[in-house]
Amino acid sequence: MEWWLIYLLTGAFVGFFAGLLGIGGGLIIVPVLISLFTAQDFPADRIIHFALGTTMATIIFTSAVSLRTHHQHGAVNWPIVKHITPGIFLGTFGGATLAGSMTGQLLSVIFVIFIFYAATQMLLQFRPSPMFQLPGRFGLFLAGNVIGALSSLVAIGGGLLSVPFLTLCKIKLQHAIGTAAAIGFPIALAGTAGYIVNGFLHSETLPDFSLGYVYLPALAWLVSASMLTAPLGAKLTHSTKTATLRTIFVVLLYGLGIRMLINIL
């Protein structure tokens, strides 16, 4: 029960900041789950796989809510979603398959690199200047492959990758964010499927209550709490100094990244 309480508190924390700052919580959830799964004696060489797979499964629920909200505000460019989704499915499932064959240490290195990238991007609030026209169907298919593959390796909904890409292609920021939210749903579906399949393929023994690399008790409590606190965070967006809270969140990301780096070394 004490583990479930920690999952619940983690979900509440991540959900609140996701609603407040409009960011995904995967980069926070993964390091926390690594610590919890280590304490619960999960197979040592597969701990990060379970953390990534479980986190990816939580994104199914959070991205569905986000997608619905942005669609209601008319901020989703559905033609882009339609043409990029095939590449998203292929790239994300392929990335999860690749992750299944990687060592835990290599996956940890990739995750640490990305968490430092994400924290720096968030700190600087970097937005690329519009430079290119939106590519055609084949170009979107290729972009979907890259975004999906990288997203599955670090268990994110793709917003940190797809928003800069769409902004670069002269899509208005509001529509880039809304479209990225919609893209996050197929990323989550394909990534979760990949981690489930590869969990059965690459692990002879799985912990009780796990579905491949998705640990169901953690998933249930994380989602339950985050769905409750995300609306609370969203309501405070316009009445709170979000810049200060964003800085706190960035510092937390750097701290988690440094801690993982120390463990790797």
Side-chain angles (χ1 to χ4, degrees), residues 26 28 50 73 76 90 121 130 136 143 158-159 161 180 201 215 220 243 261:
I28 295 290
F50 280 103
H73 288 85
V76 179
L90 184 61
Q121 184 192 58
L161 301 171
L201 291 178
Y215 187 55
L261 183 61

mmCIF file of all heavy atoms in Angstrom, residues 26 28 50 73 76 90 121 130 136 143 158-159 161 180 201 215 220 243 261:
data_model
loop_
_atom_site.group_PDB
_atom_site.id
_atom_site.type_symbol
_atom_site.label_atom_id
_atom_site.label_comp_id
_atom_site.label_asym_id
_atom_site.label_seq_id
_atom_site.Cartn_x
_atom_site.Cartn_y
_atom_site.Cartn_z
ATOM 1 N N GLY A 26 6.143 13.004 -18.288
ATOM 2 C CA GLY A 26 6.924 11.788 -18.460
ATOM 3 C C GLY A 26 8.349 11.899 -17.962
ATOM 4 O O GLY A 26 8.894 10.944 -17.394
ATOM 5 N N ILE A 28 9.428 13.496 -15.501
ATOM 6 C CA ILE A 28 9.457 13.397 -14.043
ATOM 7 C C ILE A 28 9.114 11.978 -13.601
ATOM 8 O O ILE A 28 9.747 11.401 -12.707
ATOM 9 C CB ILE A 28 8.457 14.379 -13.406
ATOM 10 C CG1 ILE A 28 8.862 15.817 -13.692
ATOM 11 C CG2 ILE A 28 8.341 14.133 -11.906
ATOM 12 C CD1 ILE A 28 10.101 16.277 -12.979
ATOM 13 N N PHE A 50 10.579 -0.949 -17.681
ATOM 14 C CA PHE A 50 9.282 -0.868 -17.004
ATOM 15 C C PHE A 50 8.876 0.593 -16.765
ATOM 16 O O PHE A 50 7.705 0.951 -16.897
ATOM 17 C CB PHE A 50 9.329 -1.616 -15.665
ATOM 18 C CG PHE A 50 9.172 -3.099 -15.794
ATOM 19 C CD1 PHE A 50 10.268 -3.942 -15.700
ATOM 20 C CD2 PHE A 50 7.925 -3.666 -16.020
ATOM 21 C CE1 PHE A 50 10.132 -5.323 -15.811
ATOM 22 C CE2 PHE A 50 7.779 -5.042 -16.141
ATOM 23 C CZ PHE A 50 8.883 -5.879 -16.038
ATOM 24 N N HIS A 73 -11.291 23.967 -28.780
ATOM 25 C CA HIS A 73 -10.868 25.343 -29.053
ATOM 26 C C HIS A 73 -10.448 25.544 -30.514
ATOM 27 O O HIS A 73 -9.940 26.608 -30.869
ATOM 28 C CB HIS A 73 -9.713 25.737 -28.123
ATOM 29 C CG HIS A 73 -10.129 25.950 -26.700
ATOM 30 N ND1 HIS A 73 -10.228 24.915 -25.786
ATOM 31 C CD2 HIS A 73 -10.508 27.073 -26.028
ATOM 32 C CE1 HIS A 73 -10.615 25.393 -24.617
ATOM 33 N NE2 HIS A 73 -10.807 26.686 -24.738
ATOM 34 N N VAL A 76 -6.577 22.193 -33.360
ATOM 35 C CA VAL A 76 -5.951 21.001 -33.935
ATOM 36 C C VAL A 76 -6.046 21.053 -35.457
ATOM 37 O O VAL A 76 -7.137 21.189 -36.018
ATOM 38 C CB VAL A 76 -6.620 19.708 -33.421
ATOM 39 C CG1 VAL A 76 -5.962 18.480 -34.061
ATOM 40 C CG2 VAL A 76 -6.527 19.625 -31.909
ATOM 41 N N LEU A 90 4.485 3.876 -36.969
ATOM 42 C CA LEU A 90 5.629 3.050 -37.350
ATOM 43 C C LEU A 90 6.867 3.397 -36.528
ATOM 44 O O LEU A 90 7.554 2.515 -35.991
ATOM 45 C CB LEU A 90 5.918 3.225 -38.840
ATOM 46 C CG LEU A 90 7.040 2.356 -39.414
ATOM 47 C CD1 LEU A 90 6.700 0.878 -39.263
ATOM 48 C CD2 LEU A 90 7.274 2.702 -40.889
ATOM 49 N N GLN A 121 15.626 23.610 -22.988
ATOM 50 C CA GLN A 121 14.622 24.182 -23.894
ATOM 51 C C GLN A 121 13.527 24.900 -23.106
ATOM 52 O O GLN A 121 13.092 25.998 -23.469
ATOM 53 C CB GLN A 121 13.999 23.087 -24.761
ATOM 54 C CG GLN A 121 13.018 23.621 -25.806
ATOM 55 C CD GLN A 121 12.204 22.518 -26.463
ATOM 56 O OE1 GLN A 121 11.502 21.770 -25.786
ATOM 57 N NE2 GLN A 121 12.308 22.400 -27.777
ATOM 58 N N PRO A 130 9.870 30.481 -37.858
ATOM 59 C CA PRO A 130 9.327 29.815 -39.049
ATOM 60 C C PRO A 130 10.272 29.987 -40.234
ATOM 61 O O PRO A 130 10.673 31.106 -40.562
ATOM 62 C CB PRO A 130 7.999 30.545 -39.285
ATOM 63 C CG PRO A 130 7.649 31.145 -37.957
ATOM 64 C CD PRO A 130 8.956 31.493 -37.318
ATOM 65 N N GLY A 136 5.062 17.736 -47.701
ATOM 66 C CA GLY A 136 3.931 16.950 -48.180
ATOM 67 C C GLY A 136 3.750 15.686 -47.368
ATOM 68 O O GLY A 136 4.350 15.520 -46.289
ATOM 69 N N ALA A 143 8.843 12.661 -40.893
ATOM 70 C CA ALA A 143 8.904 13.412 -39.636
ATOM 71 C C ALA A 143 8.231 12.635 -38.519
ATOM 72 O O ALA A 143 8.725 12.591 -37.380
ATOM 73 C CB ALA A 143 8.236 14.784 -39.812
ATOM 74 N N GLY A 158 5.618 13.613 -27.239
ATOM 75 C CA GLY A 158 6.102 14.164 -28.496
ATOM 76 C C GLY A 158 6.041 15.667 -28.611
ATOM 77 O O GLY A 158 6.570 16.246 -29.564
ATOM 78 N N GLY A 159 5.414 16.351 -27.640
ATOM 79 C CA GLY A 159 5.263 17.796 -27.743
ATOM 80 C C GLY A 159 6.582 18.547 -27.797
ATOM 81 O O GLY A 159 6.703 19.549 -28.513
ATOM 82 N N LEU A 161 9.109 17.721 -29.255
ATOM 83 C CA LEU A 161 9.684 17.551 -30.590
ATOM 84 C C LEU A 161 8.762 18.082 -31.675
ATOM 85 O O LEU A 161 9.206 18.747 -32.612
ATOM 86 C CB LEU A 161 9.976 16.062 -30.841
ATOM 87 C CG LEU A 161 10.931 15.381 -29.868
ATOM 88 C CD1 LEU A 161 10.938 13.874 -30.104
ATOM 89 C CD2 LEU A 161 12.338 15.947 -30.010
ATOM 90 N N ALA A 180 0.138 19.101 -31.770
ATOM 91 C CA ALA A 180 1.078 18.231 -31.038
ATOM 92 C C ALA A 180 0.345 17.406 -29.988
ATOM 93 O O ALA A 180 0.675 16.239 -29.759
ATOM 94 C CB ALA A 180 2.172 19.073 -30.392
ATOM 95 N N LEU A 201 8.468 -10.478 -24.958
ATOM 96 C CA LEU A 201 9.501 -11.092 -25.794
ATOM 97 C C LEU A 201 10.860 -11.161 -25.106
ATOM 98 O O LEU A 201 11.611 -12.111 -25.303
ATOM 99 C CB LEU A 201 9.637 -10.318 -27.115
ATOM 100 C CG LEU A 201 8.475 -10.412 -28.097
ATOM 101 C CD1 LEU A 201 8.753 -9.536 -29.325
ATOM 102 C CD2 LEU A 201 8.258 -11.860 -28.540
ATOM 103 N N TYR A 215 3.530 -1.695 -15.747
ATOM 104 C CA TYR A 215 3.168 -2.151 -14.408
ATOM 105 C C TYR A 215 1.824 -1.522 -14.042
ATOM 106 O O TYR A 215 1.716 -0.311 -13.812
ATOM 107 C CB TYR A 215 4.247 -1.756 -13.403
ATOM 108 C CG TYR A 215 4.032 -2.329 -12.023
ATOM 109 C CD1 TYR A 215 3.877 -3.701 -11.837
ATOM 110 C CD2 TYR A 215 3.985 -1.498 -10.911
ATOM 111 C CE1 TYR A 215 3.676 -4.231 -10.563
ATOM 112 C CE2 TYR A 215 3.792 -2.016 -9.640
ATOM 113 C CZ TYR A 215 3.627 -3.392 -9.481
ATOM 114 O OH TYR A 215 3.422 -3.911 -8.231
ATOM 115 N N ALA A 220 -2.455 2.708 -12.800
ATOM 116 C CA ALA A 220 -3.779 3.058 -12.288
ATOM 117 C C ALA A 220 -3.726 4.250 -11.341
ATOM 118 O O ALA A 220 -4.514 5.207 -11.468
ATOM 119 C CB ALA A 220 -4.398 1.851 -11.581
ATOM 120 N N ALA A 243 6.020 31.724 -14.260
ATOM 121 C CA ALA A 243 7.451 31.778 -14.581
ATOM 122 C C ALA A 243 8.280 31.225 -13.431
ATOM 123 O O ALA A 243 9.239 30.481 -13.641
ATOM 124 C CB ALA A 243 7.863 33.213 -14.894
ATOM 125 N N LEU A 261 22.549 10.635 -13.896
ATOM 126 C CA LEU A 261 23.896 10.610 -14.454
ATOM 127 C C LEU A 261 24.895 10.050 -13.441
ATOM 128 O O LEU A 261 25.777 9.240 -13.801
ATOM 129 C CB LEU A 261 24.307 12.015 -14.893
ATOM 130 C CG LEU A 261 25.669 12.162 -15.567
ATOM 131 C CD1 LEU A 261 25.730 11.338 -16.848
ATOM 132 C CD2 LEU A 261 25.948 13.624 -15.877
#
